Structure formats: C-alpha cells, structure tokens
Amino acid sequence: MPLTSERFQDAYRQMLVIRKFEEAIRSLYQQGKIRGSFHPCVGQEATAVGGCWALRKDDYMTCTYRGHGQAIAKGLSVRAAMAEMLGKATGCSKGKGGSMHFTDPSVGLLGANAIVAAGLPHAAGAALSAQLQKKDNVALAYFGEGAVNQGVFLETLNLAVIWKLPLILVCENNLYSEMTPSHETTSVVDTYKRAAAFGMASIQIDGNDLELIYETVEGAAAKARAGGGPMYIEAMTYRLWGHMMGDPEIYRTKEEVAQARENEPILRLGRRLLELGCSDSDLARLDTEAESIIADALQFAESSPAPEPAEAFTDIFI
Ligand SMILES: Cc1ncc(C[n+]2csc(CCOP(=O)(O)OP(=O)(O)O)c2C)c(N)n1
C-alpha cells in the first residue's frame, strides 16, 4: 500500500473472510461441533487487517484468545484455522490447540494466548531476538485494554523503551474487559497515556478505520526497523458480539450495540470503496469470493481426520 483501490478491495474481502469465519464457527458451535467456547472478533476486523497488512510476512505477531482475525490477516490459512476449530489433525496446531492457540511460525504468527497480557513479553522477546541478530524485523503484539493492569504490561513497556526494541504494541480498546466496563477497573482509561509515561511514542486512533490503522502501523514499523524503538497504538473499537459464546450481554444496552453497528469497520470500508469508484456489484462479488473461501475451508475441515490417539502427547509441553 498506499491503499490503491485494488488493495482496498483485497482488504475488504479479507475483512469479510474474517467476519464470515466467525459466523461459520458460531454456527458450528450451535450445532455442537465445537467444544468449549470462543471469543469472536466481530466488529474488530479493521485492527486485524490494517495492522497485519502493514507488516511483512517474516515480521512477528502475537495475539490473544480473540485473535482468529489477526491470525488470518497475518497469513494463517483459513483452512488450517477452520480445521483447528474443529479439532482436526490438519489444523494449525494439529487439532490440539483449538480456538485460543492458533499458531503458524511460517507466517510470523508466534501464537495466540489465553493469558491476558502474556503476548506482550513474547513479542518483546521476538523483537529483542531480531535486534540482537541485527535483522530488520519488527514484532507486533495485539491485546485488549484489560491487559494494561497486568504486571507484565509495565515490565514490557519499560524494557522496550530502555532497549529501543523494534516492537509495536496495538491495544484494541473495545471498552469492556469480559463483562466489566473498563472505566470501572482502570484508573486512566486512555491507555496510550500510560505508554507515554514510560517515554514511549504513543497514539490513540480510530480502530475502525482500516486505512488509518494501516498507515499508523506502517509508520511505526518503518521507524522501528530503522532503530527508532517501540510504539504504542491504542485503537478504539467495539466488539459487536458477546465476550464469548453464551455471554448474556446484560452489561450493555441493545441501543449501544445498535449505535456501534453504524460505525463498524466493514460497513465503513464498503462506503469508502464506493467513494473510490467501486460499484455495488463489485462489493457483491467480493462478498461471494469471501463466502467461497469459507465454504472451501469448511469442506476441508469437516472432511479432515481427527488426530491419531497416539499423537495425544506429541508437541505437548507440561
Ligand atoms: C491473567 C489472566 N487473568 C484473567 C483472565 C480471565 N479473562 C479472560 S478475558 C478477560 C478480559 C480481558 O479483557 P481485554 O484485555 O480488554 O480484552 P477483550 O476480551 O476485551 O478483547 C479476562 C479477565 C485471563 N485469561 N488471564
């Protein structure tokens, strides 16, 4: 990029793939084909695509349990992601990690993590390794605003500044930590101000604006590659579905969610594409293409074998 119209169209299709991936697995969950629960990223697709598309394939990324979209945007195959959801041997973690443990080192996806804030020091470690090996790779960590009250958040920010690590911290501030409004638990709700207190370059941006996220991460990555140190980006967004499947959502009103839908990133990028000269039928075609990518992944995953029982303890570390 800069986002030419064609690149925008690809990004739009990628966001639709992520949205439809979450819709497909919700349906599988309702059919009882997925055990446990999962944490959908519906409404947060712009941070995933904008951030990951501004990185190189060999750059590193860590994400959370809400990271299906980020993993796919970083290059994880949709087939391998779908198969992992269904616990199949062809999944990215051989069917043994599930929703919260997507990983694929071949595209720099160092791993999703169910422990709040755990991905930050992991990304800092990857950034340190690039720095020590004199490579120009950067590492990006995605996390929610709930992570800012964890001890490792502070430890990571401090060392990242001291060591001038090529690290990009992207906080997806969706206003709620699980079922709690974040202003009830966090003294400074504008989390980028905490990063500034460490002397780290930091900014708060509209997290539903794909172009803005792309440009901000691209700028941060260029600076970090040139030895300019870390950057903190607080992307303001909103999760349109519950925290997880089965969330009764009694902590927010239907009106609030309806209002947020007006500002959701796919709708907004669709409008932008129309401004750039795309037609309604162009958008419909991109939607159909996304639909077939999901249908193909579903077919692949459902027809894949389960892991062999003898594999139960392979790659498992206790
Ligand atoms: C260390 C730790 N403490 C508590 C939890 C339970 N937990 C799971 S998600 C979550 C909320 C995190 O909120 P936020 O970081 O804002 O991310 P979001 O879920 O909104 O994407 C909590 C407390 C956990 N997984 N890890």
Side-chain angles (χ1 to χ4, degrees):
M1 307 208 211
L3 293 171
T4 60
S5 184
E6 198 180 325
R7 189 74 166 139
F8 257 123
Q9 290 185 36
D10 290 346
Y12 181 75
R13 183 178 44 230
Q14 178 78 291
M15 286 166 72
L16 283 171
V17 166
I18 293 168
R19 176 76 53 96
K20 290 173 191 294
F21 181 85
E22 301 290 54
E23 288 168 352
I25 58 178
R26 177 174 64 177
S27 163
L28 291 170
Y29 176 84
Q30 286 162 347
Q31 295 168 50
K33 292 182 178 173
I34 292 177
R35 304 283 199 282
S37 186
F38 73 92
H39 306 81
C41 66
V42 170
Q44 303 185 190
E45 295 88 349
T47 46
V49 177
C52 289
W53 283 33
L55 300 179
R56 296 194 320 228
K57 186 177 172 187
D58 62 347
D59 287 332
Y60 306 107
M61 188 273 273
T62 65
C63 58
T64 73
Y65 46 84
R66 204 178 300 291
H68 301 160
Q70 292 149 358
I72 290 170
K74 189 68 180 70
L76 175 66
S77 114
V78 184
R79 281 182 165 195
M82 192 70 83
E84 191 58 38
M85 289 304 301
L86 285 172
K88 298 300 183 77
T90 52
C92 57
S93 302
K94 299 183 183 168
K96 292 185 276 186
S99 166
M100 293 192 261
H101 302 102
F102 280 9
T103 181
D104 184 353
S106 73
V107 296
L109 172 58
L110 297 184
N113 203 306
I115 307 300
V116 171
L120 279 87
H122 294 172
L128 178 62
S129 94
Q131 186 186 61
L132 291 175
Q133 294 176 78
K134 305 201 184 318
K135 293 182 180 167
D136 72 344
N137 300 101
V138 302
L140 182 153
Y142 283 108
F143 52 96
E145 79 286 359
V148 307
N149 295 321
Q150 288 289 101
V152 287
F153 175 86
L154 309 176
E155 295 171 42
T156 303
L157 267 67
N158 183 54
L159 285 179
V161 173
I162 292 285
W163 291 341
K164 276 193 141 191
L165 295 181
L167 179 67
I168 304 167
L169 298 173
V170 178
C171 173
E172 291 183 300
N173 188 341
N174 61 15
L175 312 181
Y176 295 91
S177 291
E178 276 188 324
M179 291 88 181
T180 308
S182 292
H183 64 81
E184 290 181 14
T185 58
T186 302
S187 58
V188 177
V189 288
D190 293 323
T191 70
Y192 75 101
K193 292 181 182 166
R194 288 200 181 185
F198 283 87
M200 186 181 290
S202 72
I203 189 173
Q204 185 182 61
I205 62 170
D206 179 348
N208 287 351
D209 181 337
L210 175 104
E211 192 176 9
L212 181 61
I213 294 154
Y214 178 83
E215 283 171 359
T216 308
V217 174
E218 186 185 42
K223 185 176 151 209
R225 284 188 218 290
M231 177 155 184
Y232 187 99
I233 300 165
E234 180 175 19
M236 302 306 294
T237 184
Y238 197 85
R239 130 174 95 61
L240 292 174
W241 291 7
H243 167 70
M244 58 183 187
M245 289 297 98
D247 177 355
E249 294 188 62
I250 50 175
Y251 50 87
R252 60 185 190 180
T253 63
K254 288 195 165 47
E255 291 72 30
E256 180 183 305
V257 180
Q259 206 176 348
R261 280 190 189 285
E262 294 299 307
N263 187 41
E264 65 105 335
I266 297 184
L267 198 70
R268 278 177 58 177
L269 184 57
R271 285 194 203 117
R272 180 97 177 93
L273 280 171
L274 293 173
E275 277 168 26
L276 286 168
C278 285
S279 62
D280 287 331
S281 64
D282 289 331
L283 298 196
R285 174 181 49 80
L286 294 166
D287 192 280
T288 308
E289 287 169 8
E291 199 73 57
S292 30
I293 290 169
I294 295 299
D296 167 77
L298 267 172
Q299 208 276 331
F300 171 82
E302 297 221 71
S303 59
S304 289
E308 289 294 333
E311 287 278 300
F313 295 103
T314 315
D315 302 323
I316 305 291
F317 303 94
I318 303 172

